[in-house]
Amino acid sequence: MSLPIPLSRSGNLSLQEQIYRFIRDKILSGGYRSGIQLPSSRDLAEGLQVARNTVTLAYEWLTSEGYIETRRGAGTFVCKVVPDIVDPPQQRSRSAAQEPPRPAIAIPFDTSVMVNKNTARPQFDFWYGRPDARQFPLKTWRRLITEQLTQATRSLAEYGEQAGEIGLRQAISEHLSTSRGFTADPSRIIITFGAQEALNIVCRLLVNDRTVVALENPGYASIVALVRSVGAMIAPVAVDEEGIIPEALHETRATLVYTTPSHQFPTGAVLPLERRQAVLAWAEKVNGYVIEDDYDSEIIYDRPPSAALAALDSNRHVIYVGSFSKSLGAGIRLGFLVLPSELVEAAVAHKSLSTFGQPWLEQAALAAFIREGHFRSHLRRIRTLYRARRDAVIESLRRYFGDELAISGHSSGLHLIWTLPEHLPDAKEVSAIARAVDVGFYTPWRVGAVEFGRIDGSERRLLIGYACLTPAEIQTGVKRVAGAIADHMRRR
Ligand SMILES: Cc1ncc(COP(=O)(O)O)c(C=O)c1O
């Protein structure tokens, strides 16, 4: 004999607790009347395909609360007197058996790895994508915040514009025209909580469970999770050393593609002009949209900035996503969308649906920060600083692992890819060896990248983030890993 207990192995409740609750609720609702015999723990465990101990513990729990009793030699029975204290009569009238089912969580939730300021980190951490917090222009920021507060009147008490503070949208518009070479009227700009909210709005506008979305492979895990959360189908599009391969787009049924042309995530490839034009030609042909995630395009070292897709488009196909997370810091949660005009109204409505807009203070401070030229000088300063750190990584890897260094994606951004030479263990193992000596070396998959299927050579790639470490720290970290790998290989 068993019982029809529906067990979930992925929920929050343990199996033991689910069995306990099911029997308890049945007893309280009168479904199992006093005196009836329950299956033995062995039979129930077999019937439910759980460990016997799981059932024994659930039975012990029910016994301790007076719901059931075990009579030696006879079996387990529902008690004659059920204690009222556990579930008073007025609550009993709405017992689980009579309740309609709870609304189920409607979207699958799966986010990429989130590391926050409280996460424990290794001593020398080559994690991806964080700017150095010590470089945040704190003094200027404090002054600008104070100034905004001094002038604040109605801003403190009333909702702002749902699309974002007009002053900030104007400042971004001007900044884009000089730094990214395209004209974005402030009316097409929506301020968001980072690139993530921008992507979320775009998904809510254009993606449903029948949509096919083309995503770079390998690519950015957060967009994959987002697209999956809406139930859309994903068409992976191959990426090579130059970035997304436009011809591959034509093999998909997609009319929407997400891409990171300025610094492909995770490979760091910079999409050549002809490919940019080819991506736009594809969008024109299918009359679709290209989501251009320009997340770290402000931080460039050895090359002129590449033309944004949005600069080659004529306000028709490109949805441009910008973020201040890499240039200033992810903590301020500020990003923006530049949309083709026909999407603006719906996007503002969606922004409004989820947040009614966002706090004005940081927006106003950022607007002044850009307008007064501080953003430009900040960018100049961090480019010089991060270039030196990137060079320190390259130099240290050369020094400790030899001149035949295979690195890529290092002309901009806050990370580069190191392809490990054949004589070293693979990336996962190197990462574990580094971790054992308190150094964080990560595979791209650990720090927010995904790959669909198996990509040749990906098991030998490490993603080295360097913005938060000084050149001296970089050198010590790399040296420490080199020593640990050498020890490991000697022991093998
Ligand atoms: C590819 C990519 N896009 C966007 C972002 C920035 O997201 P947000 O602006 O929401 O912090 C990141 C951050 O890691 C990223 O790697």
Side-chain angles (χ1 to χ4, degrees):
M1 182 173 62
S2 184
L3 296 173
I5 307 181
L7 293 178
S8 156
R9 282 161 211 270
S10 56
N12 292 334
L13 296 180
S14 67
L15 294 172
Q16 170 197 333
E17 195 173 348
Q18 292 178 60
I19 296 169
Y20 157 83
R21 281 173 182 246
F22 180 90
I23 298 176
R24 184 198 65 177
D25 292 343
K26 281 282 185 201
I27 294 172
L28 289 172
S29 66
Y32 293 162
R33 287 193 316 279
S34 56
I36 70 156
Q37 186 170 10
L38 295 179
S40 70
S41 55
R42 182 194 300 273
D43 284 353
L44 186 54
E46 253 178 42
L48 297 176
Q49 298 197 330
V50 300
R52 180 157 177 208
N53 200 35
T54 303
V55 177
T56 309
L57 288 169
Y59 274 11
E60 278 174 10
W61 196 352
L62 289 160
T63 307
S64 72
E65 290 186 0
Y67 289 103
I68 62 172
E69 60 183 345
T70 303
R71 294 183 213 141
R72 198 179 283 274
T76 303
F77 298 85
V78 175
C79 283
K80 286 208 169 59
V81 183
V82 168
D84 284 347
I85 40 161
V86 179
D87 199 7
Q90 65 272 23
Q91 285 181 19
R92 243 188 269 163
S93 61
R94 276 192 59 73
S95 64
Q98 293 159 352
E99 269 176 11
R102 274 277 166 89
I105 292 172
I107 57 164
F109 50 98
D110 164 30
T111 62
S112 53
V113 219
M114 284 307 292
V115 169
N116 65 34
K117 60 185 171 24
N118 300 324
T119 312
R121 316 294 325 149
Q123 185 184 7
F124 300 105
D125 191 24
F126 293 81
W127 186 263
Y128 157 68
R130 283 166 306 156
D132 187 345
R134 292 166 294 195
Q135 304 311 317
F136 189 87
L138 210 50
K139 229 167 107 194
T140 313
W141 195 256
R142 194 182 294 124
R143 176 176 64 74
L144 293 173
I145 290 272
T146 311
E147 272 173 27
Q148 300 309 316
L149 280 171
T150 319
Q151 296 157 16
T153 48
R154 292 165 59 186
S155 304
L156 284 165
E158 300 198 18
Y159 288 114
E161 274 191 72
Q162 319 283 272
E165 291 288 304
I166 185 64
L168 179 55
R169 290 188 283 133
Q170 275 159 349
I172 289 174
S173 167
E174 275 159 38
H175 177 74
L176 287 175
S177 72
T178 49
S179 76
R180 305 301 290 125
F182 68 98
T183 314
D185 190 85
S187 63
R188 293 204 287 129
I189 298 178
I190 296 181
I191 307 300
T192 58
F193 287 96
Q196 189 59 26
E197 195 203 7
L199 296 171
N200 196 2
I201 292 174
V202 175
C203 279
R204 293 203 60 181
L205 283 188
L206 298 173
V207 183
N208 63 28
D209 57 0
R210 290 177 304 285
T211 318
V212 180
V213 185
L215 298 180
E216 294 176 330
N217 184 27
Y220 181 42
S222 285
I223 185 71
V224 175
L226 201 51
V227 165
R228 282 201 175 126
S229 77
V230 201
M233 284 156 280
I234 291 172
V237 176
V239 161
D240 64 14
E241 63 287 348
E242 295 196 316
I244 192 167
I245 302 174
E247 294 76 49
L249 281 170
H250 294 275
E251 289 157 24
T252 71
R253 285 189 296 119
T255 49
L256 180 64
V257 62
Y258 163 90
T259 179
T260 45
S262 294
H263 195 225
Q264 203 275 332
F265 185 78
T267 63
V270 183
L271 202 67
L273 182 62
E274 312 78 65
R275 285 204 187 184
R276 288 173 194 246
Q277 285 161 335
V279 169
L280 287 174
W282 166 84
E284 183 75 38
K285 182 171 167 231
V286 300
N287 204 13
Y289 290 108
V290 181
I291 306 170
E292 174 176 29
D293 182 353
D294 218 22
Y295 66 108
D296 69 359
S297 64
E298 307 278 10
I299 303 155
I300 34 174
Y301 310 120
D302 317 312
R303 59 175 171 89
S306 45
L309 281 177
L312 306 171
D313 184 37
S314 47
N315 177 20
R316 277 184 49 77
H317 299 295
V318 176
I319 297 172
Y320 181 92
V321 174
S323 171
F324 293 93
S325 286
K326 307 296 175 218
S327 50
L328 280 169
I332 63 168
R333 303 308 302 131
L334 279 168
F336 59 94
L337 268 171
V338 183
L339 292 160
S341 321
E342 77 268 15
L343 295 180
V344 171
E345 194 186 344
V348 175
H350 277 294
K351 170 83 190 169
S352 185
L353 274 180
S354 60
T355 62
F356 279 157
Q358 61 197 79
W360 68 276
L361 183 56
E362 279 86 0
Q363 292 188 69
L366 182 57
F369 190 74
I370 299 173
R371 220 175 26 241
E372 292 176 14
H374 305 296
F375 189 45
R376 206 152 281 283
S377 8
H378 173 74
L379 288 175
R380 265 199 303 275
R381 203 167 54 75
I382 58 170
R383 278 179 200 138
T384 311
L385 189 87
Y386 295 157
R387 181 194 281 117
R389 293 177 180 189
R390 178 209 58 177
D391 291 348
V393 171
I394 299 173
E395 242 169 69
S396 305
L397 290 176
R398 280 222 171 92
R399 178 178 313 173
Y400 296 107
F401 293 97
D403 279 338
E404 301 283 295
L405 192 63
I407 52 161
S408 51
H410 51 290
S411 64
S412 61
L414 307 178
H415 75 278
L416 56 81
I417 297 288
W418 177 30
T419 304
L420 292 161
E422 284 302 321
H423 67 274
L424 294 187
D426 70 14
K428 214 164 147 200
E429 204 173 342
V430 166
S431 170
I433 295 167
R435 189 65 203 221
V437 291
D438 216 7
V439 179
F441 264 26
Y442 303 97
T443 63
W445 333 118
R446 258 297 270 124
V447 292
V450 276
E451 89 185 331
F452 302 94
R454 209 193 146 285
I455 297 175
D456 263 359
S458 71
E459 72 287 350
R460 306 209 62 78
R461 279 177 212 135
L462 284 169
L463 189 156
I464 311 278
Y466 44 78
C468 292
L469 297 167
T470 63
E473 287 168 335
I474 287 167
Q475 209 222 316
T476 314
V478 173
K479 182 176 175 192
R480 202 185 270 187
V481 175
I485 294 178
D487 285 349
H488 173 87
M489 292 180 65
R490 260 195 304 277
R491 280 198 304 271
R492 259 210 316 215

